[in-house]
Amino acid sequence: MEKDDFIQISSSEIINLNFLANLSASPSGVYQVNFTTGKHSYISRRFMTKLRKELLK
């Protein structure tokens, strides 16, 4: 595992990008992060910009 494989998505959660399946946006602006394991989490708007930049590298 590389350091670049991990990113913070909230003040209390760090994820491994290798397990990221997709993102789902709700009309309220909240993003759901879906993992290849079938689990999900939510990303705060504060960290969404950083995640977007990381995924577009």
Side-chain angles (χ1 to χ4, degrees):
M1 284 188 263
E2 297 289 323
K3 180 183 175 192
D4 293 338
D5 292 342
F6 295 89
I7 193 164
Q8 187 170 4
I9 63 167
S10 70
S11 59
S12 61
E13 194 167 5
I14 295 172
I15 64 166
N16 184 333
L17 293 173
N18 295 319
F19 291 97
L20 179 67
N22 59 54
L23 297 168
S24 304
S26 71
S28 64
V30 176
Y31 287 88
Q32 180 174 315
V33 180
N34 300 304
F35 300 101
T36 57
T37 60
K39 298 194 180 237
H40 68 272
S41 188
Y42 297 94
I43 185 169
S44 66
R45 288 183 214 139
R46 178 176 154 203
F47 291 100
M48 188 61 199
T49 303
K50 186 175 179 181
L51 177 61
R52 216 180 264 129
K53 285 180 185 176
E54 188 65 32
L55 294 175
L56 294 175
K57 273 187 179 179

